[in-house]
Amino acid sequence: DGGITQSPKYLFRKEGQNVTLSCEQNLNHDAMYWYRQDPGQGLRLIYYSQIVNDFQKGDIAEGYSVSREKKESFPLTVTSAQKNPTAFYLCASSLQGGRVEKLFFGSGTQLSVL
Amino acid sequence: GENVEQHPSTLSVQEGDSAVIKCTYSDSASNYFPWYKQELGKRPQLIIDIRSNVGEKKDQRIAVTLNKTAKHFSLHITETQPEDSAVYFCAASSWNQFYFGTGTSLTVIP
């Protein structure tokens, strides 16, 4: 399955609740990414991290937070500040080298609001 | 930042015909252009990619062409089959940031 595991597959959020999406990879990749996918809008970058203990905002970071305490793990928290969180969330990873390397995706988490 | 535009948004072809999807990008620093296939509810799967030092790449029924001067690249699928039906995304990347097109929903009619 590409060595990137996302959990859970489905997640429901109540009003005012923070929820955390898990992403783990065993590919020894340096870079990890979170994308949000809405119907007809492609993939939009939320956050990315190129090294442990460092991460940068993407195009739609508001209402989200991340951490990168271990190379293998890059969890995403959807906070109550994100007013429209319903979407398919994809985690991805790639090697960091002297050139751009292939991007591999996890199987995704579908987040819905109750 | 980079802006990737993809056309068409939907495409229907008869089985056995060819399909072409086109993308343009804005940042001349982009040097890596992957294409992904995504089936409903599944993860995007890399199907072919091309780097900026190459003009064309082929893998069986799939080919990608790149025109750096015009900043556009295209996916060509020949002899289409029903299992080619999916959403296809193009992307442009430099320095490990990836920017995606909005996707093309391809339907192959048996």
Side-chain angles (χ1 to χ4, degrees):
Chain A
D1 65 355
I4 304 174
T5 302
Q6 287 188 243
S7 62
K9 189 172 177 65
Y10 300 98
L11 186 58
F12 297 91
R13 193 191 88 168
K14 294 180 182 177
E15 197 74 33
Q17 186 182 38
N18 293 353
V19 292
T20 298
L21 285 61
S22 171
C23 179
E24 304 274 334
Q25 54 97 1
N26 61 4
L27 301 169
N28 199 33
H29 284 176
D30 303 288
M32 297 187 75
Y33 308 79
W34 275 105
Y35 289 92
R36 171 178 171 144
Q37 187 173 29
D38 295 279
Q41 292 198 41
L43 285 77
R44 293 184 291 168
L45 182 64
I46 305 172
Y47 270 98
Y48 67 101
S49 168
Q50 295 179 311
I51 194 169
V52 174
N53 292 324
D54 188 44
F55 48 83
Q56 288 79 40
K57 293 181 179 180
D59 299 322
I60 56 166
E62 186 174 349
Y64 301 96
S65 66
V66 294
S67 62
R68 186 86 187 276
E69 297 177 1
K70 298 187 299 181
K71 188 175 185 179
E72 304 79 21
S73 179
F74 191 42
L76 173 74
T77 296
V78 184
T79 74
S80 57
Q82 173 49 246
K83 298 306 179 187
N84 184 23
T86 297
F88 189 52
Y89 291 85
L90 285 160
C91 178
S93 70
S94 69
L95 280 170
Q96 285 282 88
R99 65 176 192 175
V100 177
E101 297 294 340
K102 300 178 194 291
L103 187 68
F104 295 96
F105 286 91
S107 55
T109 293
Q110 175 65 51
L111 176 62
S112 302
V113 176
L114 286 175
Chain B
E2 174 66 276
N3 181 44
V4 178
E5 295 191 358
Q6 182 172 347
H7 299 282
S9 56
T10 60
L11 179 61
S12 292
V13 300
Q14 290 291 137
E15 182 176 357
D17 287 350
S18 295
V20 180
I21 302 170
K22 298 183 179 182
C23 289
T24 61
Y25 63 100
S26 60
D27 188 352
S28 57
S30 291
N31 56 12
Y32 174 64
F33 307 91
W35 285 88
Y36 288 85
K37 175 184 179 181
Q38 187 179 29
E39 296 174 2
L40 192 62
K42 302 282 183 68
R43 75 182 80 196
Q45 298 270 17
L46 179 68
I47 56 171
I48 196 167
D49 56 7
I50 192 168
R51 297 189 184 271
S52 58
N53 59 346
V54 176
E56 184 173 357
K57 184 176 178 181
K58 192 172 181 181
D59 182 4
Q60 298 182 0
R61 297 186 296 109
I62 295 173
V64 57
T65 58
L66 171 65
N67 183 327
K68 283 193 300 182
T69 303
K71 295 196 186 71
H72 67 71
F73 56 113
S74 301
L75 177 72
H76 304 254
I77 306 174
T78 60
E79 300 172 20
T80 53
Q81 301 166 4
E83 52 264 38
D84 294 329
S85 296
V87 178
Y88 292 81
F89 291 97
C90 64
S93 178
S94 64
W95 302 107
N96 282 324
Q97 287 211 52
F98 293 80
Y99 297 89
F100 288 84
T102 51
T104 296
S105 178
L106 173 65
T107 302
V108 180
I109 304 165

